[in-house]
Amino acid sequence: MNIQGKRAVVTGGASGLGGACTRMIMAAGGEVVAVDLNDAAGAAIAAETGCTYVKADVSDAQQMESVFAQAGDVRILVNCAGIVLSQRVVARDNSAAPLADFDRVIRVNLVGTYNSIRLAASSMARSGEGGVIVNTASIAAFDGQIGQSAYAASKGGVVGMTLPLARDLAKIGVRVMTVAPGLFDTPMMASLPVEVKQTMAAGVPNPSRLGDPAEFAALVRHIIENDMLNGEVIRLDGALRMPPK
């Protein structure tokens, strides 16, 4: 698919991986509705790129229905919205982890992804011209670390539904792909000390550094433009395999 003139919705589209995808699509001549909860980042990327920023929670059905009603004829969806939680199942005092924390991660990362997919696919079906959906998982879906049970489960769910969705939506001409990134230099990493980030980067076999969000966006662009990519998960991680902790 040629991005020129196509309308896209990018969730988590104001910063990080999503922000890079917003910039990429706008630079390629597309139109982007960037969905996020960070008003400051949303206003900044709208001013920078000319995209439309909409504040919405991806896990809320009504809010996202409003987003897609406003977006109109959507041909591209890039799902980047997500949250991270590090929490052991049993704490040091032997208390059980709160169920609400696990539920919140699943709601945002997995249910929120599906919520956007169902609405984008409906829009693409009505247009009669098909479309492309690109989801964001994580290498944690395959080798999650201690404390990542909720996060790994949510991203594993995104991986697991990729092929069924591609098969389901084939009849309306919609392709579905998922990217599973490794360690990328995003706002989620910003709070970490420099030494910690350097140690993490050194653990990546080649190249031994954190990924640049623009590299993620470059892969997303290729997925959009290459019609034979469908129903697959691509790791983007510099050959990194995460240790237990």
Side-chain angles (χ1 to χ4, degrees), residues 40-169:
I45 201 162
E48 174 193 341
T49 67
C51 74
T52 300
Y53 164 65
V54 179
K55 184 174 185 177
D57 178 351
V58 294
S59 68
D60 186 290
Q62 291 186 334
Q63 288 185 33
M64 291 306 292
E65 286 164 8
S66 177
V67 167
F68 279 90
Q70 177 180 336
D73 182 12
V74 174
R75 299 291 307 284
I76 299 166
L77 169 66
V78 183
N79 278 311
C80 291
I83 59 174
V84 175
L85 172 69
S86 181
Q87 185 178 73
R88 287 179 179 258
V89 179
V90 178
R92 290 180 180 176
D93 63 0
N94 293 330
S95 62
L99 183 59
D101 291 342
F102 186 94
D103 182 69
R104 180 168 174 265
V105 175
I106 297 295
R107 286 288 305 170
V108 174
N109 294 358
L110 180 55
V111 177
T113 295
Y114 180 80
N115 190 25
S116 300
I117 289 171
R118 71 184 182 91
L119 297 168
S122 177
S123 177
M124 293 169 187
R126 289 193 302 272
S127 76
E129 297 179 344
V132 183
I133 294 170
V134 185
N135 301 315
T136 304
S138 166
I139 60 171
F142 308 102
D143 34 68
Q145 297 182 294
I146 291 170
Q148 289 187 329
S149 296
Y151 185 69
S154 69
K155 295 302 187 177
V158 173
V159 167
M161 69 181 177
T162 301
L163 180 58
L165 285 167
R167 289 170 164 173
D168 188 341
L169 300 177

Side-chain angles (χ1 to χ4, degrees), residues 209-230:
R209 59 171 173 80
L210 300 181
D212 186 329
E215 293 171 312
F216 178 90
L219 177 56
V220 171
R221 177 168 186 167
H222 182 72
I223 290 170
I224 293 169
E225 295 179 339
N226 190 330
D227 290 343
M228 281 302 290
L229 285 172
N230 193 17

